[in-house]
Amino acid sequence: MNSLDIILKYILTEKATEMASIDKYTFVVSPTATRAQVRQAVEQHFGDVKVSKVNILHRKGKIKSSRTRGLSASGRTASSKRAIVTLSKGKIDLA
């Protein structure tokens, strides 16, 4: 797999920005990606960084329902897999 197939996008929230100041970066990753693949993809994609730890979390989609004109419809938002990557060497410039 290519590193762009594993790392789908960077999470840019207030909490993720605070964590970036202590060298922890959050990414949405492929649902089939493993810790070793995420580590290799980050080191390959961002150049001179060294990953010390990778934490994986699965975010389950929420159930949503809608009632309009007496009809009810229900669905689910998309589930996602996130990786919190801790770096021991280097910085990632996301600007």
Side-chain angles (χ1 to χ4, degrees), residues 33-52:
T34 62
R35 290 176 197 260
Q37 289 174 335
V38 171
R39 175 189 306 261
Q40 185 179 19
V42 169
E43 289 176 351
Q44 177 185 357
H45 186 71
F46 293 105
D48 60 343
V49 298
K50 180 72 176 152
V51 176
S52 64

Side-chain angles (χ1 to χ4, degrees), residues 31-74:
T32 59
T34 62
R35 290 176 197 260
Q37 289 174 335
V38 171
R39 175 189 306 261
Q40 185 179 19
V42 169
E43 289 176 351
Q44 177 185 357
H45 186 71
F46 293 105
D48 60 343
V49 298
K50 180 72 176 152
V51 176
S52 64
K53 188 159 91 169
V54 177
N55 292 341
I56 299 284
L57 36 116
H58 298 273
R59 300 209 33 192
K60 194 172 181 180
K62 295 180 180 179
I63 296 175
K64 300 286 185 176
S65 63
S66 171
R67 291 183 295 283
T68 57
R69 297 187 190 192
L71 300 174
S72 65
S74 63

Side-chain angles (χ1 to χ4, degrees), residues 1-55:
M1 277 185 157
N2 186 356
S3 66
L4 295 177
D5 294 335
I6 295 173
I7 301 171
L8 302 179
K9 68 178 182 176
Y10 175 68
I11 301 296
L12 190 62
T13 60
E14 186 175 352
K15 184 176 181 179
T17 306
E18 287 179 21
M19 289 174 54
S21 66
I22 56 171
D23 294 333
K24 290 186 177 188
Y25 298 91
T26 307
F27 301 97
V28 175
V29 296
S30 169
T32 59
T34 62
R35 290 176 197 260
Q37 289 174 335
V38 171
R39 175 189 306 261
Q40 185 179 19
V42 169
E43 289 176 351
Q44 177 185 357
H45 186 71
F46 293 105
D48 60 343
V49 298
K50 180 72 176 152
V51 176
S52 64
K53 188 159 91 169
V54 177
N55 292 341

